[in-house]
Amino acid sequence: YIEKNYRLYNYEKLNTKKVLELGSGCGLAGISLMLLGCKVTFTDLSNVINQLTEPNVLSIYKQIISQGSLVHQIYEPVISTLDWIDFSNNYRDN
């Protein structure tokens, strides 16, 4: 959707917006929005976060920050585990 409607998504409209990416995987969608100034929280299962999301997102974030040639602010990503089965067990009516 974003790639087909990219003109709707620019820094002026997205700067400081909060984004929750559910099932982030490699984090591609969240990374794209992070680069447009959004404050992104990446979530997925713990094994996916540990093996894929966190290494990928942090590597890209650190690379961008180290270049020092940013046109606008990039916010540090938040990366968190979220398991829908565990979540639903904790909040089920008894």
Side-chain angles (χ1 to χ4, degrees):
Y1 179 83
I2 293 172
E3 66 273 7
K4 291 183 181 181
N5 298 286
Y6 67 92
R7 288 190 176 111
L8 299 174
Y9 298 94
N10 59 44
Y11 176 73
E12 289 77 26
K13 290 183 180 180
L14 295 175
N15 183 33
T16 71
K17 298 287 190 228
K18 294 180 181 178
V19 174
L20 174 62
E21 185 178 12
L22 301 172
S24 298
C26 68
L28 181 60
I31 291 167
S32 299
L33 291 167
M34 182 177 70
L35 293 173
L36 290 171
C38 293
K39 298 176 180 180
V40 182
T41 299
F42 298 83
T43 66
D44 212 317
L45 298 171
S46 62
N47 63 326
V48 178
I49 289 288
N50 294 332
Q51 295 176 14
L52 183 60
T53 312
E54 188 169 42
N56 193 43
V57 170
L58 291 181
S59 172
I60 291 170
Y61 173 75
K62 289 174 184 176
Q63 183 178 6
I64 291 165
I65 295 302
S66 70
Q67 291 176 356
S69 60
L70 299 172
V71 176
H72 56 269
Q73 183 172 358
I74 302 294
Y75 296 95
E76 186 172 354
V78 175
I79 302 170
S80 182
T81 61
L82 179 61
D83 184 333
W84 285 104
I85 295 171
D86 187 44
F87 180 81
S88 65
N89 287 336
N90 288 332
Y91 294 96
R92 185 177 295 158
D93 292 334
N94 292 327

